[in-house]
Amino acid sequence: MHETVTISIGECGNNIGSQFWRDCCTQSDLSVSGHSLHPQVSPPSHLFEEQVSSRFVPRAILLDSDPGTLANIRNSDLGFLFPPSAYISGTYGAGNSFGNGCNDPDLLELIQEPLNDQIRIQAEKCDQTPNFNLFHSLGGGTGSGTTAFTLSHLKEEYKTSIFNCSVLPEPDASVVSPYNCILGLNYLIESSSAVLCFDNGYLMAKMKVIGEINQYISSQLVDMFKSEKQWIPKYDEDAAYDQRHFYHSEAMWKGEIVTSCPVSDTDKVIQEIEFENTKLYNSGAIQSIKQQLDRFDLMFKRKAFVYGHSKCMDEFEYVEASERAHELLEIYENGEDCTLTTD
């Protein structure tokens, strides 16, 4: 049984993470401080570490370039669920730039060492190398860039499966969000074992309220990870993971079947994974990625906003990200067999 370490990154990732751990506590008969309300019931050990006095602590790290979101969590009723060392932040945001979130030396000076230390400490508490869950958005500088930085470290140091819950930005999120999204996508293709995509614009049109979207996402994540079912592809150093692992989900929400991304009638379902209340499909998320890539290519062709956005980066990284995203689209559009081997 693989333990799982969850890393919430950026404002969006930490809001989803907070709802996820709140829901995990409810499902496991724990108080929001991690104390068992029914000692005869044990929460899933792959998600929680048992400490003294029937207290359980999430195997979690909370990371952000800006301290504001983490301060809100610390000051909430959920704040005592996590040890102080789990909170890692910079002193200012990433300026809505992938390059800042991934490569800014001032930010990395603040977060790199404590992040690497916490990942190592969490891994050493596990019986074997854990799997990793990363919750984040792709629209902002931290959610895209700092996630990319974290993925690179995990891939280099830990030969294990990595799952990303990735929120794709709505069209009017920011003028540079397509840059952040496709640049971050490049790292997901390179390093992640499985990616579950949520289209924020599509969901906002249905739900109108961010908090409700977080609840919708969390309900599926809890459904997927509450058991020890190992559905994430096994790590294989020689396997070509790239471009074969992007999912959309379908779940009942307030009496209606809701998908996480827009899906067309012509989408080919390459793989289906079923849980108690959630289904994953390896196909539909590509529609939302294509929309982001179209915006990216249109902007980059005119070099719009590249000068202000490309700090700590070279322009060839934009070219590489676009090329790999187009390869991803081509594989899905051709309906190639993307079935993954799991445990």
Side-chain angles (χ1 to χ4, degrees):
M1 186 272 294
H2 272 282
E3 292 92 345
T4 300
V5 176
T6 298
I7 307 176
S8 303
I9 304 175
E11 181 178 5
C12 175
N14 277 290
N15 286 336
I16 291 171
S18 295
Q19 187 64 52
F20 171 78
W21 289 113
R22 188 181 297 277
D23 292 345
C24 283
C25 286
T26 300
Q27 290 247 346
S28 303
D29 288 323
L30 298 178
S31 70
V32 289
S33 60
H35 290 93
S36 179
L37 302 176
H38 299 93
Q40 68 273 21
V41 179
S42 296
S45 60
H46 61 290
L47 295 177
F48 288 88
E49 175 197 358
E50 184 174 5
Q51 297 187 338
V52 297
S53 304
S54 296
R55 183 170 186 265
F56 296 85
V57 175
R59 302 183 188 275
I61 298 170
L62 290 71
L63 174 65
D64 202 350
S65 60
D66 188 317
T69 299
L70 300 191
N72 291 337
I73 297 173
R74 281 180 187 268
N75 295 328
S76 72
D77 60 343
L78 204 66
F80 292 107
L81 182 62
F82 311 100
S85 58
Y87 296 91
I88 300 171
S89 73
T91 56
Y92 55 89
N96 211 19
S97 166
F98 173 91
N100 289 346
C102 187
N103 302 313
D104 180 16
D106 294 331
L107 174 61
L108 297 185
E109 184 178 1
L110 293 172
I111 68 169
Q112 183 171 8
E113 185 174 347
L115 174 62
N116 294 349
D117 286 347
Q118 278 304 301
I119 293 173
R120 175 182 53 78
I121 289 169
Q122 289 288 348
E124 289 175 351
K125 292 178 180 179
C126 300
D127 293 335
Q128 54 187 314
T129 304
N131 294 331
F132 291 93
N133 293 341
L134 276 63
F135 301 162
H136 65 107
S137 75
L138 281 169
T142 303
S144 61
T146 308
T147 297
F149 168 79
T150 305
L151 278 171
S152 296
H153 173 71
L154 293 177
K155 182 181 179 183
E156 181 178 351
E157 296 295 329
Y158 301 90
K159 310 303 182 185
T160 189
S161 297
I162 302 172
F163 166 81
N164 284 72
C165 167
S166 304
V167 178
L168 301 169
E170 61 271 27
D172 58 353
S174 163
V175 69
V176 295
S177 62
Y179 285 157
N180 294 332
C181 184
I182 299 303
L183 290 165
L185 177 71
N186 192 26
Y187 283 77
L188 298 184
I189 293 171
E190 177 69 28
S191 302
S192 185
S193 306
V195 181
L196 175 56
C197 297
F198 291 89
D199 187 315
N200 201 47
Y202 175 75
L203 293 176
M204 276 296 290
K206 288 183 169 293
M207 300 181 186
K208 311 298 183 185
V209 181
I210 290 291
E212 188 171 340
I213 295 176
N214 292 337
Q215 292 172 1
Y216 167 75
I217 294 174
S218 172
S219 68
Q220 294 173 60
L221 295 173
V222 172
D223 191 25
M224 291 155 50
F225 290 106
K226 65 184 178 183
S227 74
E228 297 176 10
K229 177 181 179 181
Q230 295 292 325
W231 63 272
I232 300 175
K234 293 189 294 185
Y235 177 82
D236 181 347
E237 191 168 9
D238 298 323
Y241 279 138
D242 22 344
Q243 302 127 359
R244 301 184 182 241
H245 51 280
F246 286 79
Y247 295 91
H248 79 277
S249 63
E250 184 180 89
M252 181 70 71
W253 185 251
K254 296 190 174 180
E256 177 187 0
I257 295 291
V258 178
T259 59
S260 63
C261 293
V263 182
S264 72
D265 294 335
T266 59
D267 280 343
K268 302 172 184 177
V269 176
I270 301 166
Q271 182 188 21
E272 179 180 330
I273 304 174
E274 187 168 356
F275 300 90
E276 184 178 345
N277 301 303
T278 303
K279 286 185 179 181
L280 302 187
Y281 298 95
N282 191 357
S283 64
I286 217 65
Q287 296 290 333
S288 296
I289 292 172
K290 185 179 187 305
Q291 293 171 4
Q292 296 294 330
L293 181 59
D294 289 344
R295 297 186 185 103
F296 177 100
D297 286 342
L298 183 62
M299 291 170 58
F300 189 65
K301 183 178 181 180
R302 297 181 286 114
K303 295 296 190 292
F305 306 103
V306 169
Y307 176 75
H309 182 266
S310 61
K311 297 175 182 177
C312 307
M313 293 179 60
D314 292 316
E315 284 193 20
F316 81 86
E317 295 180 64
Y318 292 78
V319 176
E320 179 188 70
S322 177
E323 289 177 349
R324 184 165 288 183
H326 279 285
E327 291 172 4
L328 169 67
L329 289 175
E330 184 177 357
I331 284 179
Y332 275 90
E333 287 170 354
N334 291 338
E336 296 182 20
D337 183 6
C338 298
T339 303
L340 297 169
T341 303
T342 69
D343 289 340

